Coordinates of all heavy atoms in Angstrom, one line a residue:
L9 N 111.5 -23.0 -55.4 CA 112.0 -21.7 -55.0 C 111.4 -21.5 -53.6 O 110.2 -21.4 -53.4 CB 111.3 -20.7 -56.0 CG 111.6 -19.2 -55.8 CD1 113.1 -18.9 -55.9 CD2 110.9 -18.4 -56.9
S12 N 108.5 -19.3 -52.5 CA 107.3 -19.3 -53.3 C 106.1 -20.1 -52.8 O 106.3 -21.2 -52.3 CB 107.7 -19.8 -54.7 OG 106.5 -20.2 -55.4
P13 N 104.9 -19.6 -52.8 CA 103.8 -20.3 -52.2 C 103.5 -21.6 -53.0 O 103.0 -22.6 -52.4 CB 102.6 -19.3 -52.3 CG 103.0 -18.3 -53.4 CD 104.5 -18.2 -53.3
W14 N 103.8 -21.6 -54.3 CA 103.6 -22.9 -55.0 C 104.6 -23.9 -54.6 O 104.2 -25.1 -54.6 CB 103.7 -22.6 -56.5 CG 102.5 -21.7 -57.0 CD1 101.3 -22.1 -57.4 CD2 102.5 -20.3 -57.2 NE1 100.5 -21.1 -57.8 CE2 101.2 -19.9 -57.7 CE3 103.4 -19.3 -56.9 CZ2 100.9 -18.6 -57.9 CZ3 103.1 -17.9 -57.1 CH2 101.8 -17.6 -57.6
R17 N 103.4 -25.2 -51.3 CA 102.3 -26.1 -51.5 C 102.7 -27.6 -51.8 O 102.2 -28.5 -51.3 CB 101.4 -25.6 -52.7 CG 100.2 -26.4 -53.0 CD 99.5 -25.9 -54.3 NE 98.3 -26.5 -54.5 CZ 97.8 -26.8 -55.7 NH1 98.5 -26.5 -56.8 NH2 96.6 -27.4 -55.9
Y34 N 116.0 -23.5 -56.9 CA 116.0 -22.9 -58.2 C 116.4 -21.4 -58.1 O 115.9 -20.7 -57.2 CB 114.6 -23.1 -58.8 CG 114.4 -22.3 -60.1 CD1 114.7 -22.8 -61.3 CD2 113.7 -21.1 -60.0 CE1 114.5 -22.1 -62.5 CE2 113.5 -20.4 -61.2 CZ 113.9 -20.9 -62.4 OH 113.6 -20.2 -63.6
L35 N 117.2 -20.9 -59.0 CA 117.6 -19.5 -59.0 C 116.9 -18.8 -60.1 O 117.1 -19.2 -61.3 CB 119.1 -19.3 -59.2 CG 120.0 -19.6 -58.0 CD1 121.4 -19.4 -58.4 CD2 119.6 -18.7 -56.8
P36 N 115.9 -17.9 -59.9 CA 115.2 -17.2 -60.9 C 116.3 -16.6 -61.9 O 117.4 -16.2 -61.4 CB 114.4 -16.1 -60.2 CG 114.2 -16.6 -58.9 CD 115.5 -17.4 -58.5
I37 N 115.9 -16.4 -63.1 CA 116.8 -15.9 -64.2 C 117.9 -16.8 -64.5 O 117.9 -17.4 -65.6 CB 117.3 -14.4 -63.9 CG1 116.2 -13.5 -63.4 CG2 118.1 -13.9 -65.1 CD1 116.6 -12.1 -62.9
E40 N 116.6 -20.4 -65.5 CA 115.4 -20.5 -66.3 C 115.6 -21.3 -67.6 O 114.8 -22.1 -68.0 CB 114.8 -19.2 -66.6 CG 113.4 -19.3 -67.2 CD 112.6 -18.0 -67.1 OE1 112.7 -17.3 -66.1 OE2 111.8 -17.8 -68.1
S50 N 108.4 -23.3 -67.2 CA 109.2 -22.0 -67.0 C 109.0 -21.6 -65.5 O 109.5 -20.5 -65.2 CB 108.7 -20.9 -67.9 OG 107.3 -20.7 -67.6
T51 N 108.3 -22.4 -64.7 CA 108.2 -22.0 -63.3 C 108.5 -23.3 -62.5 O 108.5 -24.4 -62.9 CB 106.8 -21.6 -63.0 OG1 105.8 -22.6 -63.3 CG2 106.4 -20.3 -63.7
V52 N 108.8 -23.0 -61.2 CA 108.9 -24.1 -60.2 C 107.8 -23.9 -59.2 O 107.2 -22.8 -59.1 CB 110.3 -24.0 -59.5 CG1 111.4 -24.4 -60.5 CG2 110.6 -22.7 -58.9
P53 N 107.5 -24.9 -58.4 CA 108.2 -26.2 -58.3 C 108.0 -27.1 -59.5 O 107.1 -27.0 -60.2 CB 107.5 -26.8 -57.0 CG 106.1 -26.4 -57.2 CD 106.2 -25.0 -57.6
D64 N 104.3 -29.3 -62.4 CA 104.2 -28.2 -61.4 C 103.4 -28.6 -60.2 O 103.2 -29.8 -60.0 CB 103.5 -27.0 -62.1 CG 102.0 -27.2 -62.4 OD1 101.5 -28.3 -62.2 OD2 101.4 -26.2 -62.8
S65 N 103.0 -27.7 -59.3 CA 102.4 -28.1 -58.1 C 101.1 -28.8 -58.3 O 100.7 -29.7 -57.6 CB 102.3 -26.9 -57.1 OG 101.2 -26.0 -57.5
N66 N 100.3 -28.4 -59.3 CA 99.1 -29.0 -59.6 C 99.3 -30.5 -60.0 O 98.7 -31.4 -59.4 CB 98.4 -28.4 -60.8 CG 97.9 -27.0 -60.5 OD1 97.3 -26.8 -59.4 ND2 98.1 -26.0 -61.4
S100 N 95.2 -20.6 -56.2 CA 96.5 -20.7 -56.8 C 96.6 -20.2 -58.3 O 97.7 -19.8 -58.8 CB 97.0 -22.2 -56.8 OG 96.2 -22.9 -57.6
E101 N 95.4 -20.1 -58.9 CA 95.5 -19.7 -60.3 C 95.0 -18.2 -60.5 O 95.2 -17.6 -61.6 CB 94.6 -20.6 -61.2 CG 95.0 -22.1 -61.2 CD 96.4 -22.3 -61.8 OE1 96.8 -21.6 -62.7 OE2 97.1 -23.2 -61.3
R108 N 100.7 -11.5 -56.6 CA 102.1 -11.3 -57.1 C 102.2 -10.0 -57.9 O 103.3 -9.4 -57.9 CB 102.5 -12.6 -58.0 CG 103.8 -12.5 -58.7 CD 104.3 -13.8 -59.2 NE 103.4 -14.4 -60.1 CZ 103.3 -15.6 -60.5 NH1 104.2 -16.5 -60.0 NH2 102.5 -16.1 -61.4
H126 N 112.4 -8.8 -64.2 CA 112.2 -10.1 -64.6 C 110.7 -10.6 -64.4 O 110.0 -11.1 -65.3 CB 113.2 -11.1 -63.9 CG 112.8 -12.5 -64.0 ND1 113.0 -13.3 -65.1 CD2 112.3 -13.4 -63.1 CE1 112.6 -14.5 -64.9 NE2 112.2 -14.6 -63.7
F127 N 110.3 -10.4 -63.1 CA 108.9 -10.8 -62.8 C 107.9 -10.0 -63.6 O 106.8 -10.5 -64.0 CB 108.7 -10.8 -61.3 CG 109.4 -11.9 -60.5 CD1 110.1 -11.6 -59.4 CD2 109.2 -13.2 -60.9 CE1 110.8 -12.6 -58.7 CE2 109.8 -14.2 -60.3 CZ 110.6 -14.0 -59.1
K130 N 107.7 -11.3 -67.1 CA 107.3 -12.7 -67.2 C 105.8 -12.8 -66.8 O 105.1 -13.6 -67.4 CB 108.1 -13.5 -66.2 CG 107.9 -15.0 -66.3 CD 109.0 -15.8 -65.7 CE 108.7 -17.2 -65.6 NZ 109.9 -18.0 -65.2
Y131 N 105.3 -12.0 -65.9 CA 103.9 -12.2 -65.4 C 103.0 -11.1 -65.9 O 101.9 -10.9 -65.4 CB 103.9 -12.4 -63.9 CG 104.7 -13.6 -63.5 CD1 105.9 -13.5 -62.8 CD2 104.3 -14.9 -63.9 CE1 106.6 -14.6 -62.5 CE2 105.0 -16.0 -63.6 CZ 106.2 -15.9 -62.9 OH 106.9 -17.0 -62.6
Ligands
LIG1 N1 101.2 -23.3 -62.0 C1 102.4 -23.3 -61.3 C2 102.8 -21.9 -60.9 C3 104.2 -21.8 -60.2 C4 104.8 -20.4 -60.2 O1 104.1 -19.4 -60.6 N2 106.0 -20.3 -59.8 C5 106.7 -19.0 -59.8 C6 106.7 -18.5 -58.4 S1 107.0 -16.8 -58.3 C7 108.2 -19.2 -60.3 O2 108.7 -20.3 -60.4 N3 108.9 -18.1 -60.5 C8 110.3 -18.1 -60.8 C9 110.5 -17.3 -62.0 O3 109.5 -16.8 -62.6 O4 111.6 -17.2 -62.4 C10 102.4 -24.3 -60.1 O5 101.3 -24.6 -59.7 O6 103.4 -24.8 -59.7

Side-chain angles (χ1 to χ4, degrees):
L9 180 56
S12 158
W14 291 274
R17 181 185 188 216
Y34 168 85
L35 284 180
I37 308 173
E40 186 163 327
S50 61
T51 57
V52 291
D64 71 351
S65 78
N66 292 317
S100 68
E101 303 293 330
R108 176 165 58 197
H126 165 72
F127 286 130
K130 185 160 175 173
Y131 299 111

